[in-house]
Amino acid sequence: MKIDFIELRHIRMRLVAPFETSFGVEHDRDCIILTLRGEGLTGWGECAAGMSPGYSYETTATAWHVLTDFFVPAILEGEITEIEDLRDRLGKFKGHPLARAGLEMALWDLFAQTAEIPLATLLGGDQKAVPVGVSVGIQKDAEVLIDVVGRFIDEGYDRVKIKIKPGRDVGEVQAVRGAYPDLKLQVDANSAYMFEDTASIEALDDFDLLLIEQPLGEDDLFDHSRLQARLKTAICLDESILSVRHARQALEINACRVINIKPGRVGGLSEAKAIHDLCLDSNIPVWCGGMLETGIGRASNLAIASLPGFTLPGDISATDRYYKEDIAAPSFVLNPDSTIDVPTKPGLGVEVLSDRLDQVTLRREVFKV
Ligand code: SMG
Ligand code: MG
């Protein structure tokens, strides 16, 4: 396939509620939407780099730079016959997985459209609907948290993840567990703890949590394995796993018992699938993480989460949990059994609403051959 047109848009969407984590609070979600055209088809991608280097070192500004100056020119050169070609083209560049993944998503969309099959099918997925939960940010206090969690349970979510940080951990978990004894509950620290101050992490071991996500630094597999040895509860790694090699090494040293797979964090759907395959072979459950995506990124997450190893509920919530109006239709809705349907139309299977996209665009650039 010859790609002859690439458009980048930096967009900003207002969240229905602020989202607070151990690294800060977001009121708006920034990301880059990519459009690729080839052979009369249009593919869409979403690069999840946000406003500040909080979750990852990448930001919309670094991704814009790396995409426009390096990755996009490499894609516009010659034909792309298969998705693996992208890895070869970008192989000489280091890092920037979120930028890479945005471009790769649009290519996967184009290849699935060419084959006239849903992206999920092209990836090898066959679950029609995937189990999902909701990720709840840090709230004003434990009472508000109980209330917010209660509202999501009433909406039908049967798995809830709460964000924690030092000083806002045991108390919140105790409160939520006390209010909802049977809830599937898990926590995410976004690497806010040091091995030396994990007494509060160890104190979480008695609350029947599904897992404890990324307690320690992203570059700290070794201390995660020391911590996992002290816990009954499974550690799940997010930020620490950037490739299938990291995943293999983490499993070899027992640094975790669960992996959160985010295609963006690992440089795209191909690497995400490779991590899934490794975990399936190793009997390690995985689930699909989220980056507050628009309907474009959410469609892609649902497609990868349809693979058989995604047995734990993902951070893929209904559209109305994030945005009043999305840039893609139809909206994703929660089924009564806490699942969301995987799109069935060819490619990503959503329609991008161009007026709505224009309204949220801050900056736009087009590249043609
Ligand atoms: O998309 O529902 C969602 C958010 C899920 O908590 C979520 N993601 O570390 O897992 C994580 C965070 C990263 C989000 S930073 C924007
Ligand atoms: Mg996380």
Side-chain angles (χ1 to χ4, degrees):
M1 168 164 331
K2 174 82 194 119
I3 308 295
D4 49 33
F5 172 102
I6 300 184
E7 180 192 75
L8 265 63
R9 287 171 184 253
H10 175 182
I11 68 162
R12 177 168 297 162
M13 311 243 296
R14 173 85 354 175
L15 291 163
V16 292
F19 190 66
E20 183 169 346
T21 61
S22 62
F23 55 82
V25 55
E26 284 185 83
H27 296 267
D28 297 293
R29 180 68 190 149
D30 282 35
C31 68
I32 297 171
I33 299 297
L34 296 100
T35 317
L36 263 62
R37 292 208 186 119
E39 289 167 20
L41 297 169
T42 301
W44 294 92
E46 177 166 341
C47 161
M51 251 175 288
S52 73
Y55 171 80
S56 148
Y57 64 83
E58 292 182 82
T59 64
T60 38
T62 68
W64 192 275
H65 157 58
V66 170
L67 283 164
T68 58
D69 290 344
F70 303 103
F71 294 179
V72 164
I75 299 307
L76 290 175
E77 236 171 67
E79 296 261 330
I80 307 231
T81 41
E82 45 189 16
I83 290 161
E84 284 70 46
D85 292 358
L86 183 79
R87 292 179 168 221
D88 301 338
R89 298 277 176 97
L90 304 187
K92 56 180 181 271
F93 304 119
K94 287 208 165 60
H96 303 278
L98 295 176
R100 243 169 243 268
L103 206 47
E104 206 221 29
M105 189 191 298
L107 265 191
W108 274 97
D109 183 19
L110 276 176
F111 277 85
Q113 287 183 49
T114 306
E116 295 177 19
I117 55 174
L119 175 58
T121 310
L122 187 60
L123 286 164
D126 60 3
Q127 301 192 63
K128 300 276 170 279
V130 304
V132 302
V134 63
S135 172
V136 177
I138 295 169
Q139 304 295 319
K140 192 167 136 274
D141 55 38
E143 254 161 68
V144 175
L145 178 62
I146 290 174
D147 195 50
V148 172
V149 169
R151 268 184 275 145
F152 283 122
I153 295 171
D154 292 345
E155 284 177 27
Y157 292 101
D158 75 356
R159 185 284 260 162
V160 172
K161 152 168 141 182
I162 62 172
K163 293 287 188 177
I164 57 165
K165 65 178 182 181
R168 301 295 304 275
D169 40 37
V170 186
E172 342 291 289
V173 171
Q174 198 164 25
V176 175
R177 180 48 87 217
Y180 311 108
D182 302 324
L183 178 66
K184 288 184 209 159
L185 181 64
Q186 61 193 59
V187 295
D188 186 1
N190 284 110
S191 57
Y193 296 82
M194 307 274 285
F195 183 72
E196 293 69 30
D197 58 28
T198 46
S200 40
I201 296 293
E202 288 176 55
L204 299 179
D205 216 12
D206 292 324
F207 291 100
D208 194 23
L209 299 176
L210 277 181
L211 54 90
I212 299 174
E213 185 176 344
Q214 196 69 40
L216 308 177
E218 62 175 31
D219 57 354
D220 204 351
L221 275 191
F222 182 73
D223 279 346
H224 273 111
S225 91
R226 288 165 72 202
L227 182 60
Q228 180 65 90
R230 295 189 184 187
L231 297 171
K232 294 186 297 240
T233 313
I235 288 182
C236 166
L237 290 176
D238 175 355
E239 286 93 322
S240 290
I241 307 295
L242 298 175
S243 63
V244 68
R245 181 164 46 83
H246 286 168
R248 177 178 54 73
Q249 292 170 354
L251 297 179
E252 270 178 27
I253 65 166
N254 298 312
C256 64
R257 292 191 211 130
V258 175
I259 292 181
N260 164 336
I261 297 185
K262 279 182 191 161
R265 191 194 67 227
V266 303
L269 291 161
S270 307
E271 193 73 11
K273 183 172 157 57
I275 297 174
H276 161 272
D277 295 350
L278 170 79
C279 291
L280 193 60
D281 276 356
S282 322
N283 270 323
I284 293 292
V286 302
W287 53 286
C288 183
M291 292 292 287
L292 307 170
E293 285 89 349
T294 73
I296 296 173
R298 197 170 325 289
S300 169
N301 284 347
L302 284 161
I304 190 84
S306 74
L307 271 69
F310 284 83
T311 52
L312 292 172
D315 279 347
I316 312 174
S317 310
T319 304
D320 65 5
R321 183 262 174 276
Y322 306 97
Y323 305 109
K324 240 201 214 124
E325 274 184 278
D326 206 338
I327 55 169
S331 291
F332 292 105
V333 290
L334 187 70
N335 297 323
D337 62 347
S338 198
T339 63
I340 294 185
D341 293 344
V342 178
T344 53
K345 294 203 176 118
L348 285 168
V350 289
E351 185 205 341
V352 177
L353 308 168
S354 55
D355 289 353
R356 179 72 192 128
L357 184 59
D358 284 344
Q359 284 165 14
V360 295
T361 298
L362 303 177
R363 181 182 181 190
R364 173 175 178 268
E365 203 167 328
V366 167
F367 304 81
K368 291 183 198 171
V369 274

